[in-house]
Amino acid sequence: MEEAIDWLREKGIAKSEKKASRIAAEGLANIYVNGNRAVILEVNSETDFVSKNEEFTGMIDTIGNTILNSTIKTLEESLKLSCEDGTIADLIVAKTAKIGEKLSLRRIEVVEKNDDENFGAYLHMGGKIAVLTVVKNANQDVAKDVAMQAAAMKPLYVFESDVPEDVVNKEREVQKEIAMSEGKPADIAEKMVEGRIKKYFKEICLAEQAFIKDGDISVATYVKNNGGELISMVRYEVGEGIEKRCENFAEEVMNQINGN
């Protein structure tokens, strides 16, 4: 029996390694919350077809709850956590062999809050976008409104202070070139650049964005008007930054049938 188990495990590992070079840019993101601790994660598959599979969604729940009930904080640590199928890494290998596609735990973030803070959790399109926010001295409804804002408006940062200096300098140079190409004198171009940089911050920083439900105020002001303060935001969009392969639905189905 033990030899059979070893053989099956080796078979699964071999299948997993065979698929390692494939592109897995589909999948789901999810959020798990327990008290003052929350986990947001992204698990990838090769096709959207598989992301609807109960084996796949069940694996995500196992991973999420295992991390949530642990004390780890990094992706590397999470792969070593014990679960019913060995470790989380073992579980992914086993499901890869069973489902027939490359599966991977791409990223996680563990977020912890204080008692006077609230989480806002929001999933869009069944988990194609997941946002986890934290607000202080404001209720969960406010926190969720902010999470929905982030899902829709795709901020890259929470506050102006979070934007790296090199990113700001690069944008400043681009805007200066644009202003100069419009024939503006250097001194006027400089003033225009500063105005455009402020507009840039309102596009990429959550706190500075116009609040969707009331465009006359910023997100930070909305939270403040509800007695609170915006603390943090994590936004995962499945597959962002991964080069996706081109394949039609019929090919996806045939790959599933043939076990490729």
Side-chain angles (χ1 to χ4, degrees):
M1 181 65 76
E2 290 180 359
E3 289 179 2
I5 291 171
D6 288 342
W7 182 85
L8 288 169
R9 289 190 64 205
E10 288 167 5
K11 195 79 171 173
I13 292 169
K15 282 188 176 183
S16 179
E17 289 177 346
K18 186 178 179 181
K19 300 176 193 302
S21 62
R22 295 184 179 184
I23 298 171
E26 299 295 339
L28 294 172
N30 211 339
I31 299 167
Y32 300 85
V33 179
N34 184 15
N36 283 351
R37 182 179 170 90
V39 176
I40 180 170
L41 54 75
E42 178 186 347
V43 182
N44 295 126
S45 60
E46 292 181 56
T47 64
D48 186 56
F49 185 68
V50 162
S51 69
K52 298 176 176 65
N53 184 311
E54 288 186 4
E55 289 275 353
F56 183 73
T57 56
M59 179 188 74
I60 294 174
D61 286 341
T62 297
I63 293 171
N65 286 311
T66 300
I67 296 172
L68 184 65
N69 294 318
S70 73
T71 58
I72 67 94
K73 293 186 177 181
T74 68
L75 176 62
E76 292 73 19
E77 291 174 310
S78 70
L79 292 170
K80 299 175 184 176
L81 286 173
S82 296
C83 60
E84 290 182 3
D85 294 87
T87 63
I88 286 180
D90 293 333
L91 172 64
I92 295 170
V93 168
K95 293 300 183 183
T96 295
K98 187 170 184 178
I99 294 173
E101 282 195 8
K102 177 183 177 180
L103 309 176
S104 62
L105 175 57
R106 182 186 183 194
R107 51 184 172 171
I108 72 161
E109 186 151 347
V110 178
V111 181
E112 296 180 344
K113 71 175 185 65
N114 298 317
D115 289 339
D116 61 349
E117 297 171 339
N118 275 306
F119 288 125
Y122 177 68
L123 298 179
H124 185 63
M125 295 176 62
K128 292 303 179 182
I129 297 173
V131 182
L132 178 65
T133 60
V134 177
V135 299
K136 182 176 182 178
N137 295 325
N139 62 35
Q140 287 185 341
D141 290 338
V142 172
K144 186 172 182 179
D145 277 345
V146 175
M148 292 174 70
Q149 166 92 22
M153 301 308 293
K154 202 173 182 177
L156 301 177
Y157 308 95
V158 182
F159 305 105
E160 285 186 25
S161 58
D162 296 332
V163 185
E165 186 176 352
D166 61 324
V167 172
V168 178
N169 289 339
K170 183 178 179 180
E171 182 65 19
R172 184 172 276 113
E173 286 298 317
V174 169
Q175 293 300 335
K176 185 174 181 180
E177 287 295 323
I178 292 173
M180 295 291 282
S181 69
E182 293 171 351
K184 307 296 182 183
D187 58 334
I188 299 299
E190 286 291 343
K191 292 179 181 179
M192 291 176 63
V193 167
E194 291 311 308
R196 290 175 179 178
I197 288 295
K198 289 182 180 179
K199 183 180 178 182
Y200 177 63
F201 284 141
K202 289 181 179 180
E203 293 173 354
I204 67 169
C205 298
L206 177 61
E208 302 302 320
Q209 286 183 342
F211 183 49
I212 289 178
K213 292 184 177 181
D214 183 353
D216 293 332
I217 60 174
S218 68
V219 172
T221 300
Y222 165 69
V223 178
K224 184 178 180 181
N225 288 348
N226 283 274
E229 175 188 358
L230 176 59
I231 301 298
S232 67
M233 178 273 297
V234 182
R235 183 186 188 276
Y236 283 176
E237 184 167 343
V238 172
E240 58 188 348
I242 302 176
E243 180 183 351
K244 297 189 178 185
R245 68 180 183 179
C246 295
E247 186 172 64
N248 64 37
F249 180 71
E251 288 173 332
E252 288 185 20
V253 174
M254 287 307 299
N255 281 336
Q256 293 301 307
I257 293 171
N258 295 327
N260 294 329

